[in-house]
Amino acid sequence: MEREPRREAVSGVMPGALPGDALGLGLRVPHYRELFESYPEVGYFEIISENFLGDAPNPRKQLARVKARYPVVLHGVGLNLLGPEPPDARYLERLCRLADEVDAPFVTDHLCWTGAGGRSHHDLLPVPFVPELVEIAAERADFVQRRLGRPFGLENVSSYLEFERSTLDEWDFVTRVVRDAGCYLLLDINNVYVSSQNHGFSPETYLDAIDYSRVLQVHLAGFTRSPDGTLIDTHDHPVAEAVWRLYERTWRDHGPFPTLLEWDDHVPPLGDELGELEKARARRG
Amino acid sequence: MTLRPVPAWLEELELRFGAMLALPLAREGGSLEATPERYDPVLEREVRAGPRSPASARLAVYQRQYWFRLLTVMHAAYPLTTRLLGHWHFNELATRFLGAHPAQGHDLDAVPDGFDSFLAAATPGPVVVMTRPAVELDRDVLLDAARLDAAYRRVLRAPEVQHYRPNAADAERLLAGRLELSPAVALLTDTFGSWELRGRILDEPGEVPVRAPPRLAAARHGALVRSGLTLRLVPLEADEHELLCLLGEHSVGHALAALESSRSASERHDLPERARRWLARSVDLGLWSGFRA
């Protein structure tokens, strides 16, 4: 039985706090010096929530400096939405405080699991795509969004395997969860491409199935091709041409939407990342 | 609102998956490799073969990612220890540590917590870090390095606290009370020049072991102090360091008595005056965060 979609779960708060054509960057420590020297034109910054949940004062002070100049959105990797137990209350409490502190237009995490049996694997791990888990994920995402009191989005993860149990296509699973939860989607086009190549589906089919009225933002990043041909979502390269083409197509057919570049390893100078953002602008035509 | 747990079949799948991730990578071939031959056949049957690879190869991607992510975090947390051991030997010890202390919670930066204590228990003697030519790393040097790395981690991650400033009432009850060392302070002892070496190796990344410098003629002491966002390594006299360590464990009166009783009559001569100076300096440096009467 399908649940009634909860589209207005957070009444009065719409994900329009960022301009539709905003271009943002994932905030990383190697950026700090250049950032605070020049305060370049960037539409917004996205932080990894967990990097700012601890007691250490340095990250919070740097974040305050960023927040003074730019909108800041939160992107988590530790919610463990589909772990055995519901999201941890203490974790959510800290996340709420952080979101309040930076007045985040929205908060996102991933449609995946990250730990079980009291252990955290610190990876974004896939689940079988089955209706039963649509229900669980939607229920939990709805709960998180209500707890946060602001728009909450789930990101589609890149994956390197599929489960025999799956009865739904990934895009069907993702769109159903978002619809039933009344939450939002962080659409990672690089992840769509990586998974499409690893599993042999059409990325265009995936992207055409998305309800873009629920998309908070789009992520772009680079991947690595391993020796056996598997694409790995490493965030350590410029955006691949194939991903740019998908972005171009998606913007043309479904834009506008805020767009953010992620770069997590071998982080280049800030200027290089700004150059990638300019490519995004140029690709929009 | 009560949220449901996931269905039992998913929990079982996740536990099997987690157990697969935690299988240590094989080292026999001279590099770190996934171990598909050890995978749970029940888990493998859950996974579809891909366009280019069997189920086990697809699981292997996750096993490799798991270990490389955690080992990278360990390298970053213990940079001097990593370089003295070299990546290969460090990874072996880190893998044993991570097997005994699996990651819990959302904080990836907390994963290396306790590695310095683990090393102390896990390395009863010198460690052979290269075989051709044979290079041994002295256990004391290794543990000094690990303690220094751990101190930097602890001080950098400590919450912001107010420095303790004694008032008139405290002065009257000082001897009976205990000073609380600030979490943003670490008292250090160096036996082989680890302070400078740590600074150098941060600018010179590499995977092969660096040679430890010869042992210093005499150990030196210091306090690693974070004040706001500024980090300082302040040299301390040996007696001053000893007193500060005693103050961390005893009341002020007992600490002073313990220091005095371990000194000869001639050494005791100007000890009270020196101790007063050290105490005043420790307050000026912001080493204390509180006082319990």
Side-chain angles (χ1 to χ4, degrees):
Chain A
M1 185 184 76
E2 291 200 351
R3 302 171 73 216
E4 183 70 19
R6 297 195 198 97
R7 295 180 67 93
E8 300 306 326
V10 182
S11 62
V13 184
M14 294 303 292
L18 294 177
D21 61 351
L23 288 169
L25 281 181
L27 182 68
R28 305 294 182 260
V29 172
H31 292 152
Y32 285 165
R33 182 179 295 177
E34 281 179 277
L35 179 60
F36 299 135
E37 279 171 5
S38 60
Y39 289 104
E41 195 177 324
V42 177
Y44 65 108
F45 279 97
E46 181 188 76
I47 60 169
I48 302 297
S49 310
E50 288 74 10
N51 291 347
F52 298 87
L53 294 180
D55 294 326
N58 193 13
R60 301 297 269 268
K61 288 187 176 171
Q62 306 295 11
L63 179 58
R65 297 175 73 185
V66 176
K67 171 57 193 158
R69 296 283 194 117
Y70 304 95
V72 173
V73 299
L74 270 54
H75 185 49
V77 292
L79 181 64
N80 197 14
L81 188 82
L82 280 167
E85 301 302 325
D88 180 70
R90 283 169 302 176
Y91 172 80
L92 277 181
E93 172 63 32
R94 298 173 98 170
L95 190 63
C96 284
R97 281 207 302 270
L98 181 62
D100 291 344
E101 188 176 314
V102 300
D103 192 21
F106 54 78
V107 177
T108 59
D109 205 294
H110 298 82
L111 183 48
C112 70
W113 67 287
T114 60
R119 298 183 174 198
S120 180
H121 306 314
H122 294 291
D123 200 355
L124 307 169
L125 303 168
V127 294
F129 302 132
V130 294
E132 187 179 11
L133 295 188
V134 171
E135 283 186 32
I136 303 268
E139 188 177 286
R140 292 181 177 185
D142 171 49
F143 174 79
V144 171
Q145 184 166 249
R146 288 174 188 277
R147 181 73 186 80
L148 289 166
R150 61 186 75 231
F152 173 63
L154 288 170
E155 178 180 345
N156 56 298
V157 297
S158 51
S159 62
Y160 315 112
L161 61 76
E162 296 170 294
F163 289 102
E164 292 287 1
R165 287 175 188 262
S166 289
T167 57
L168 302 172
D169 291 315
E170 181 181 335
W171 51 91
D172 198 9
F173 182 75
V174 169
T175 53
R176 283 194 201 200
V177 170
V178 167
R179 181 197 64 192
D180 290 0
C183 71
Y184 298 90
L185 178 64
L186 191 177
L187 176 63
D188 191 317
I189 293 182
N190 181 61
N191 289 353
V192 170
Y193 182 74
V194 164
S195 296
S196 75
Q197 300 306 294
N198 290 341
H199 308 320
F201 62 73
S202 154
E204 290 85 1
T205 300
Y206 192 130
L207 292 169
D208 287 343
I210 298 301
D211 173 1
Y212 285 86
S213 72
R214 311 303 292 173
V215 172
L216 288 171
Q217 67 165 333
V218 157
H219 268 183
L220 296 171
F223 61 77
T224 299
R225 188 179 296 276
S226 61
D228 72 352
T230 304
L231 301 193
I232 309 290
D233 181 30
T234 46
H235 296 188
D236 64 351
H237 282 77
V239 178
E241 177 56 27
V243 176
W244 279 127
R245 282 200 295 270
L246 289 173
Y247 177 71
E248 220 172 81
R249 179 184 183 277
T250 309
W251 180 270
R252 184 192 68 217
D253 294 347
H254 306 289
F257 35 70
T259 302
L260 183 124
L261 176 73
E262 291 182 294
W263 206 311
D264 289 301
D265 209 358
H266 307 302
V267 176
L270 185 59
D272 291 7
E273 292 201 30
L274 294 173
E276 285 289 288
L277 283 189
E278 283 311 307
K279 285 186 200 168
R281 198 188 306 279
R283 291 282 179 158
R284 294 167 173 181
Chain B
M1 181 179 182
T2 305
L3 296 172
R4 290 175 289 172
V6 297
W9 63 262
L10 181 61
E11 182 170 5
E12 186 187 333
L13 173 62
E14 290 179 347
L15 290 172
R16 289 181 188 278
F17 203 112
M20 178 278 297
L21 295 175
L23 290 171
L25 297 174
R27 301 168 55 86
E28 291 75 13
S31 60
L32 296 176
E33 302 289 346
T35 58
E37 68 285 356
R38 296 184 61 198
Y39 292 169
D40 177 351
V42 175
L43 177 65
E44 275 193 63
R45 283 197 292 276
E46 292 272 5
V47 176
R48 278 183 202 158
R52 290 179 291 270
S53 50
S56 60
R58 309 187 96 191
L59 287 165
V61 174
Y62 288 96
Q63 187 195 9
R64 280 193 294 270
Q65 280 202 160
Y66 172 82
W67 281 105
F68 287 134
R69 175 175 290 109
L70 293 187
L71 291 174
T72 301
V73 168
M74 295 292 296
H75 297 162
Y78 285 85
L80 180 58
T81 316
T82 302
R83 289 304 308 280
L84 286 171
L85 284 165
H87 277 218
W88 185 249
H89 289 278
F90 180 89
N91 288 347
E92 181 181 17
L93 288 160
T95 298
R96 285 167 53 196
F97 167 74
L98 292 165
H101 303 86
Q104 297 175 324
H106 65 265
D107 188 1
L108 186 58
D109 285 339
V111 168
D113 287 352
F115 182 60
D116 51 328
S117 304
F118 170 85
L119 270 186
T123 50
V127 180
V128 178
V129 292
M130 285 178 70
T131 49
R132 284 192 297 269
V135 176
E136 276 191 352
L137 179 61
D138 185 274
R139 178 179 187 269
D140 292 342
V141 171
L142 173 64
L143 298 188
D144 259 13
R147 279 191 289 266
L148 181 63
D149 284 333
Y152 269 92
R153 271 173 54 69
R154 196 169 63 249
V155 167
L156 285 170
R157 287 159 51 88
E160 191 102 76
V161 291
Q162 290 288 319
H163 296 163
Y164 167 68
R165 302 285 174 202
N167 54 36
D170 290 343
E172 287 174 13
R173 53 191 182 167
L174 186 65
L175 289 178
R178 275 187 68 165
L179 291 161
E180 292 169 350
L181 192 66
S182 165
V185 170
L187 300 174
L188 303 172
T189 296
D190 180 26
T191 58
F192 71 101
S194 60
W195 300 346
E196 292 80 6
L197 182 61
R198 191 176 190 278
R200 280 202 305 277
I201 62 99
L202 289 177
D203 296 327
E204 299 168 8
E207 295 196 2
V208 296
V210 293
R211 278 188 187 274
R215 191 174 281 269
L216 299 172
R220 56 183 177 164
H221 307 279
L224 186 63
V225 184
R226 197 198 74 215
S227 183
L229 300 183
T230 307
L231 201 61
R232 285 185 302 162
L233 210 168
V234 183
L236 301 173
E237 294 176 40
D239 290 348
E240 181 181 20
H241 176 265
E242 186 177 345
L243 175 62
L244 294 175
C245 291
L246 288 166
L247 287 167
E249 297 168 10
H250 306 284
S251 67
V252 175
H254 278 116
L256 291 168
L259 185 68
E260 189 173 16
S261 67
S262 66
R263 295 300 186 267
S264 64
S266 61
E267 288 170 331
R268 283 184 208 148
H269 165 63
D270 61 349
L271 197 55
E273 177 50 35
R274 292 167 72 203
R276 265 194 295 277
R277 199 173 70 237
W278 294 329
L279 274 171
R281 183 175 184 233
S282 71
V283 171
D284 289 343
L285 287 170
L287 302 192
W288 313 109
S289 59
F291 175 74
R292 278 183 290 137

